[in-house]
Amino acid sequence: MNQDTVQLHEEEILEQIQNLQRKLLELRTKQPSSKESSSSNASTRATSKGVSETDGSLPSEPQTRLSIDSGVMSTRHHDNAHANLSNGTTNLGSKLIVIIPQLPFRIQRDITIDHDGTATSSVSILSTSRTENTQLPFISAIRQDNWFPDRPVVLVGWIGPSDLDVSEEEKCRQLMLEQYSCMPVFLGSELANMAFDGFVGDVLSPLFHYVPPSLRSIRGEQAFNLRDWSAYVAAQNKYAEAVVGVYEHSDLIWVYDIELMMLPSLLRKRIRDVTIGFYLSTPFPSSEIFRILPVRKDVLEGVLAADLIAFHSSDYVNHFQSASIRLLGCEVVHGGLVYNGRTVLLGTHPMGIDPTKILQGIDSPEVKLEIDDLESKFQGKKIFLAVDRLNYTKGVPNKLLAFESFLKTRPEWKEKAVLALIAVPSLKESDEYKQLRLKVQELVSRINGTFGTLDHSPIVFINQKLNFVDLCALYVRADVAVVTSLRDSISLISLEYITAQRDKHGVLILSEFAGSFHLAQSSVQVNPWNIEELADAFEEALRMSSHEREAKHQTAYQYVCTYTAQFWARSFVQDLEALDNQLVQERYAKPKMSTSATLLSVENDVKPFVAVPTGGTSTDSPASFSPSPSSSRLFLLDYEDVLCVPRSVPELVRPSHGISQCLLRLASDRQNKVFVMSGRSAQILESWFPDVRIGLIAEYGCKLRMPDETIWRSTVPDSIDKDMSWREAVLPMLQYTTDRCPGCYLEVKDHVISFYFMDSSPVYGSWHAKELKADLLETGADALPIEISSDHKKVEIRPAGISKVLAVQNIIALMPRKPSFLFAICGDEKMDEDLYAFLSSLTDKESLRPISSTIDTIGLPSRIGTSDPSTFAPNLTSAPSLASFASAVSISSMEKDVNVVTCCVSNKSGKSNSMRRLPNIESATEKIREISLLFSNQEFRTHRHHPSWMSG
């Protein structure tokens, strides 16, 4: 099966898979599946993402234990947050499906021994507390706090390491759907380790935090492992299968974070007309850093399958936009990007916290007792608090070096200042982590040994996660919080500290790279790479007046309490809902059309009109078509976008030997008239296609060379052709822009001037092109007899009224034998769309005007390039020229039953059922080769400027 056939049936096959998976889910609710598969092995690690340091900042909850033994459910503590889903989710209306890397549950198998020595195995589903959950705290809040009362929520995610067999997995799915509205994903330990620890932890997450991998690892192996990348995709296919199992029409899908960046594209292939949102909580690096990733295009394409993509900061939006433009050639539109004919919205949704939990904590008796204890221990001392996950992005060594410099240069604070450093261990025991931990311990020992006394240690170092009570007490007691992230997306510690300082108005020292840009004016901002600047910030925070502290804190506190985690989640879903409503209206507004039906088929669309029928008289059969001996076939082939990839320099797009042979084979049949259309000059086209049997259309229709002729004809009116003074007005501006935009190319032809910026910086070149068009219009170019177009990374200036439509009209008028079959394959530029509209009008018999075919000279059409066939009317007063041949003559003299096949080479869907489509240039050249093989029995040889045969 070839590539086109696969693409032809892909959507139908995926739709059948979706229906089968839905039926499978229905069967699962009745009885365990008998499907044979290997059980998932236990994984030794959770996901390797650098999790926020808030793992210990929220109060713990009672655990939920759900037994799945023998299909009987028993609970020790039941969560009624989603009681409305207790009967399952398969019959719900529109719901929100939130896909997260890992669910807040874990599997536990217990072995009990009876009094007779019999061992019994029992499996339970434990609801992890918020302190155990490796995801951000909003996940538990969505599940338990009912943030979306009008839309049921279903969570889909990995349930962690397990050793369940197939029947136990089915019971687990059923019970979790019924009791917790969750769909678990089961991954083998090896697959999870390779996907999350290998690809995300070792490649993706470091790169997104501006830590590019070295060319070689410590062991001399390549840093990028293709097996890890394959596991990353394979794991997300498991997620996609789970989502299809719970998805119903009109559901919204929210994909969360870096572990699932390929999931939107996998879901798009499985589910039709689905609205998908994607949120990335980590930073997105600049395009220069992101381009290091070997699978950069795959990752971008995976995310761009979503309808809404949101980030924590507008900087990350700009970085993502730049990477998409540079690597995939996306078009920038207001509020988003256009990729593969789809508009993808980009948004900024800063994540917040739930301040209520912190406020309740600091008012609790346990925290107040701990605060009193800290006051007695650190009486008369200023406390700097730093809570960090111990990894390379948090800037812990920078913080220690700055504190050392602060004590060295300001000895008066030597026994009055204390740095409480809470370093939460990393989730992954890597070599880099071990080296970092040794470095931090060395700095702590050096500073305490240099500045410490018998009753005072400048640094209190705790290399473990604190419980909620201790952390809240430190938040309240600390005079200054220090956040020195070298690269971070969300600094939740800064938000929690601001909340806990409700009454004391502490000072926040915040890194420029911490991601909390909204707190910039309410904190002391520092560059953590500048150690002296950071040391100065320590003193500035201590000496800040109470009035300034209060003013800064009040602004920050108001922000934290307003833009909470609940506000963040609701605003994202509201944007997704609004977009979904818009997309639904657009889907109902346009006619339903089978995408597969528009793909070009040589067997059905071309062969019936070129093959001599062997029999049959039915008019319903394509084989019944029999061309008249006095008719011919007309083939119109666009060069750029069809026969080759567009390039700015002509020498780079010279036709290959195979393309030339295909065209000559096609032109070898006497009934075929083959034309190659291009924006290049006549001289270049003639050097590429010297054989006179191939007709040429140069400069987008300004010049044409008929088959078996050596002369070039001009379609430009004499009045315009003789007055080219407009070139003197526009050329200086074009040359000026070309000289100042590296990678741009200016091509000056007889009638058309082209400014290419496809080889320049996508952002810089596009900006220069917009500026060029604006400058041309400001200097009065709109009053000149020219047209300015901008399409496919080029700006072109040509005489007014010139188009491919005009060239084709003249070709038909000049053909002695009118075509009974017309085949055109072009791209998706504006000129091509006009040509498609004109060719479709040739089959509209009611719109044709009966004009005599004996007129020798006819003027220019009154309107050129319009899609209304009735407007292609002659102007009998114009001076005689080739441009005078109008479409009305050619149409009226054509055969009554002209067959027209148009094909657009584009990754967008066809605009009408009558138009055929091919997805890319590779498929277009292959189809042209197939068409040429229909004439493989024809003998042909190269003819150069001396036609040896010519039909009348």
Side-chain angles (χ1 to χ4, degrees), residues 294-311:
V295 290
R296 54 197 185 176
K297 289 186 178 180
D298 302 83
V299 173
L300 280 181
E301 290 172 345
V303 177
L304 283 169
D307 300 288
L308 172 64
I309 305 173
F311 303 86

PDB file of all heavy atoms in Angstrom, residues 294-311:
ATOM      1  N   PRO A 294      17.074  17.212  18.801  1.00  0.00           N
ATOM      2  CA  PRO A 294      17.042  16.485  17.521  1.00  0.00           C
ATOM      3  C   PRO A 294      15.636  16.259  16.983  1.00  0.00           C
ATOM      4  O   PRO A 294      15.445  16.205  15.769  1.00  0.00           O
ATOM      5  CB  PRO A 294      17.744  15.159  17.857  1.00  0.00           C
ATOM      6  CG  PRO A 294      18.623  15.474  19.026  1.00  0.00           C
ATOM      7  CD  PRO A 294      17.865  16.491  19.825  1.00  0.00           C
ATOM      8  N   VAL A 295      14.658  16.095  17.880  1.00  0.00           N
ATOM      9  CA  VAL A 295      13.274  15.843  17.443  1.00  0.00           C
ATOM     10  C   VAL A 295      12.435  17.107  17.617  1.00  0.00           C
ATOM     11  O   VAL A 295      11.263  17.050  17.959  1.00  0.00           O
ATOM     12  CB  VAL A 295      12.669  14.668  18.232  1.00  0.00           C
ATOM     13  CG1 VAL A 295      13.311  13.365  17.824  1.00  0.00           C
ATOM     14  CG2 VAL A 295      12.819  14.889  19.738  1.00  0.00           C
ATOM     15  N   ARG A 296      13.024  18.240  17.346  1.00  0.00           N
ATOM     16  CA  ARG A 296      12.369  19.523  17.592  1.00  0.00           C
ATOM     17  C   ARG A 296      11.078  19.682  16.791  1.00  0.00           C
ATOM     18  O   ARG A 296      10.071  20.164  17.323  1.00  0.00           O
ATOM     19  CB  ARG A 296      13.350  20.638  17.233  1.00  0.00           C
ATOM     20  CG  ARG A 296      13.898  20.518  15.812  1.00  0.00           C
ATOM     21  CD  ARG A 296      15.124  21.333  15.553  1.00  0.00           C
ATOM     22  NE  ARG A 296      15.518  21.271  14.140  1.00  0.00           N
ATOM     23  CZ  ARG A 296      16.499  21.950  13.619  1.00  0.00           C
ATOM     24  NH1 ARG A 296      17.213  22.750  14.391  1.00  0.00           N
ATOM     25  NH2 ARG A 296      16.792  21.857  12.348  1.00  0.00           N
ATOM     26  N   LYS A 297      11.095  19.296  15.514  1.00  0.00           N
ATOM     27  CA  LYS A 297       9.899  19.459  14.686  1.00  0.00           C
ATOM     28  C   LYS A 297       8.781  18.537  15.154  1.00  0.00           C
ATOM     29  O   LYS A 297       7.606  18.924  15.161  1.00  0.00           O
ATOM     30  CB  LYS A 297      10.224  19.194  13.217  1.00  0.00           C
ATOM     31  CG  LYS A 297      11.080  20.269  12.574  1.00  0.00           C
ATOM     32  CD  LYS A 297      11.241  20.016  11.083  1.00  0.00           C
ATOM     33  CE  LYS A 297      12.069  21.117  10.426  1.00  0.00           C
ATOM     34  NZ  LYS A 297      12.232  20.888   8.963  1.00  0.00           N
ATOM     35  N   ASP A 298       9.121  17.327  15.560  1.00  0.00           N
ATOM     36  CA  ASP A 298       8.105  16.391  16.034  1.00  0.00           C
ATOM     37  C   ASP A 298       7.409  16.929  17.272  1.00  0.00           C
ATOM     38  O   ASP A 298       6.183  16.839  17.402  1.00  0.00           O
ATOM     39  CB  ASP A 298       8.746  15.034  16.338  1.00  0.00           C
ATOM     40  CG  ASP A 298       9.452  14.446  15.137  1.00  0.00           C
ATOM     41  OD1 ASP A 298      10.609  14.827  14.888  1.00  0.00           O
ATOM     42  OD2 ASP A 298       8.847  13.623  14.441  1.00  0.00           O
ATOM     43  N   VAL A 299       8.193  17.490  18.199  1.00  0.00           N
ATOM     44  CA  VAL A 299       7.615  18.028  19.430  1.00  0.00           C
ATOM     45  C   VAL A 299       6.711  19.223  19.125  1.00  0.00           C
ATOM     46  O   VAL A 299       5.599  19.339  19.655  1.00  0.00           O
ATOM     47  CB  VAL A 299       8.735  18.417  20.415  1.00  0.00           C
ATOM     48  CG1 VAL A 299       8.162  19.143  21.628  1.00  0.00           C
ATOM     49  CG2 VAL A 299       9.510  17.181  20.855  1.00  0.00           C
ATOM     50  N   LEU A 300       7.173  20.111  18.262  1.00  0.00           N
ATOM     51  CA  LEU A 300       6.353  21.269  17.896  1.00  0.00           C
ATOM     52  C   LEU A 300       5.059  20.830  17.221  1.00  0.00           C
ATOM     53  O   LEU A 300       3.978  21.354  17.529  1.00  0.00           O
ATOM     54  CB  LEU A 300       7.136  22.195  16.968  1.00  0.00           C
ATOM     55  CG  LEU A 300       8.148  23.146  17.604  1.00  0.00           C
ATOM     56  CD1 LEU A 300       8.796  23.998  16.529  1.00  0.00           C
ATOM     57  CD2 LEU A 300       7.491  24.039  18.643  1.00  0.00           C
ATOM     58  N   GLU A 301       5.156  19.897  16.293  1.00  0.00           N
ATOM     59  CA  GLU A 301       3.962  19.425  15.600  1.00  0.00           C
ATOM     60  C   GLU A 301       3.003  18.748  16.560  1.00  0.00           C
ATOM     61  O   GLU A 301       1.782  18.843  16.404  1.00  0.00           O
ATOM     62  CB  GLU A 301       4.356  18.477  14.475  1.00  0.00           C
ATOM     63  CG  GLU A 301       5.047  19.177  13.305  1.00  0.00           C
ATOM     64  CD  GLU A 301       5.605  18.194  12.297  1.00  0.00           C
ATOM     65  OE1 GLU A 301       5.709  16.995  12.645  1.00  0.00           O
ATOM     66  OE2 GLU A 301       5.938  18.613  11.170  1.00  0.00           O
ATOM     67  N   GLY A 302       3.554  18.061  17.568  1.00  0.00           N
ATOM     68  CA  GLY A 302       2.690  17.435  18.559  1.00  0.00           C
ATOM     69  C   GLY A 302       1.876  18.449  19.331  1.00  0.00           C
ATOM     70  O   GLY A 302       0.670  18.279  19.548  1.00  0.00           O
ATOM     71  N   VAL A 303       2.511  19.530  19.753  1.00  0.00           N
ATOM     72  CA  VAL A 303       1.808  20.556  20.533  1.00  0.00           C
ATOM     73  C   VAL A 303       0.866  21.362  19.644  1.00  0.00           C
ATOM     74  O   VAL A 303      -0.244  21.719  20.051  1.00  0.00           O
ATOM     75  CB  VAL A 303       2.828  21.484  21.223  1.00  0.00           C
ATOM     76  CG1 VAL A 303       2.113  22.604  21.964  1.00  0.00           C
ATOM     77  CG2 VAL A 303       3.696  20.689  22.193  1.00  0.00           C
ATOM     78  N   LEU A 304       1.282  21.662  18.415  1.00  0.00           N
ATOM     79  CA  LEU A 304       0.478  22.504  17.527  1.00  0.00           C
ATOM     80  C   LEU A 304      -0.800  21.812  17.058  1.00  0.00           C
ATOM     81  O   LEU A 304      -1.633  22.451  16.407  1.00  0.00           O
ATOM     82  CB  LEU A 304       1.302  22.919  16.313  1.00  0.00           C
ATOM     83  CG  LEU A 304       2.327  24.028  16.563  1.00  0.00           C
ATOM     84  CD1 LEU A 304       3.263  24.187  15.379  1.00  0.00           C
ATOM     85  CD2 LEU A 304       1.614  25.345  16.857  1.00  0.00           C
ATOM     86  N   ALA A 305      -0.977  20.551  17.378  1.00  0.00           N
ATOM     87  CA  ALA A 305      -2.256  19.900  17.095  1.00  0.00           C
ATOM     88  C   ALA A 305      -3.343  20.354  18.048  1.00  0.00           C
ATOM     89  O   ALA A 305      -4.529  20.101  17.808  1.00  0.00           O
ATOM     90  CB  ALA A 305      -2.093  18.378  17.164  1.00  0.00           C
ATOM     91  N   ALA A 306      -2.972  21.031  19.132  1.00  0.00           N
ATOM     92  CA  ALA A 306      -3.958  21.588  20.054  1.00  0.00           C
ATOM     93  C   ALA A 306      -4.580  22.839  19.444  1.00  0.00           C
ATOM     94  O   ALA A 306      -4.036  23.455  18.527  1.00  0.00           O
ATOM     95  CB  ALA A 306      -3.313  21.903  21.401  1.00  0.00           C
ATOM     96  N   ASP A 307      -5.737  23.223  19.964  1.00  0.00           N
ATOM     97  CA  ASP A 307      -6.414  24.440  19.504  1.00  0.00           C
ATOM     98  C   ASP A 307      -6.021  25.654  20.331  1.00  0.00           C
ATOM     99  O   ASP A 307      -6.043  26.774  19.831  1.00  0.00           O
ATOM    100  CB  ASP A 307      -7.930  24.251  19.569  1.00  0.00           C
ATOM    101  CG  ASP A 307      -8.405  23.110  18.693  1.00  0.00           C
ATOM    102  OD1 ASP A 307      -8.387  23.267  17.468  1.00  0.00           O
ATOM    103  OD2 ASP A 307      -8.771  22.052  19.241  1.00  0.00           O
ATOM    104  N   LEU A 308      -5.685  25.437  21.594  1.00  0.00           N
ATOM    105  CA  LEU A 308      -5.255  26.507  22.493  1.00  0.00           C
ATOM    106  C   LEU A 308      -4.007  26.043  23.213  1.00  0.00           C
ATOM    107  O   LEU A 308      -3.994  24.979  23.837  1.00  0.00           O
ATOM    108  CB  LEU A 308      -6.362  26.847  23.501  1.00  0.00           C
ATOM    109  CG  LEU A 308      -5.994  27.809  24.633  1.00  0.00           C
ATOM    110  CD1 LEU A 308      -5.640  29.187  24.072  1.00  0.00           C
ATOM    111  CD2 LEU A 308      -7.128  27.932  25.642  1.00  0.00           C
ATOM    112  N   ILE A 309      -2.945  26.837  23.133  1.00  0.00           N
ATOM    113  CA  ILE A 309      -1.681  26.530  23.808  1.00  0.00           C
ATOM    114  C   ILE A 309      -1.378  27.689  24.742  1.00  0.00           C
ATOM    115  O   ILE A 309      -1.314  28.843  24.298  1.00  0.00           O
ATOM    116  CB  ILE A 309      -0.534  26.338  22.799  1.00  0.00           C
ATOM    117  CG1 ILE A 309      -0.895  25.269  21.764  1.00  0.00           C
ATOM    118  CG2 ILE A 309       0.754  25.962  23.506  1.00  0.00           C
ATOM    119  CD1 ILE A 309       0.108  25.130  20.648  1.00  0.00           C
ATOM    120  N   ALA A 310      -1.198  27.398  26.013  1.00  0.00           N
ATOM    121  CA  ALA A 310      -0.999  28.455  27.000  1.00  0.00           C
ATOM    122  C   ALA A 310       0.289  28.224  27.768  1.00  0.00           C
ATOM    123  O   ALA A 310       0.724  27.082  27.976  1.00  0.00           O
ATOM    124  CB  ALA A 310      -2.185  28.530  27.971  1.00  0.00           C
ATOM    125  N   PHE A 311       0.880  29.333  28.201  1.00  0.00           N
ATOM    126  CA  PHE A 311       2.125  29.318  28.957  1.00  0.00           C
ATOM    127  C   PHE A 311       1.978  30.222  30.172  1.00  0.00           C
ATOM    128  O   PHE A 311       1.025  31.000  30.287  1.00  0.00           O
ATOM    129  CB  PHE A 311       3.290  29.805  28.081  1.00  0.00           C
ATOM    130  CG  PHE A 311       3.488  29.009  26.818  1.00  0.00           C
ATOM    131  CD1 PHE A 311       2.776  29.318  25.665  1.00  0.00           C
ATOM    132  CD2 PHE A 311       4.375  27.958  26.778  1.00  0.00           C
ATOM    133  CE1 PHE A 311       2.951  28.597  24.500  1.00  0.00           C
ATOM    134  CE2 PHE A 311       4.561  27.225  25.612  1.00  0.00           C
ATOM    135  CZ  PHE A 311       3.848  27.547  24.476  1.00  0.00           C
TER     136      PHE A 311
END
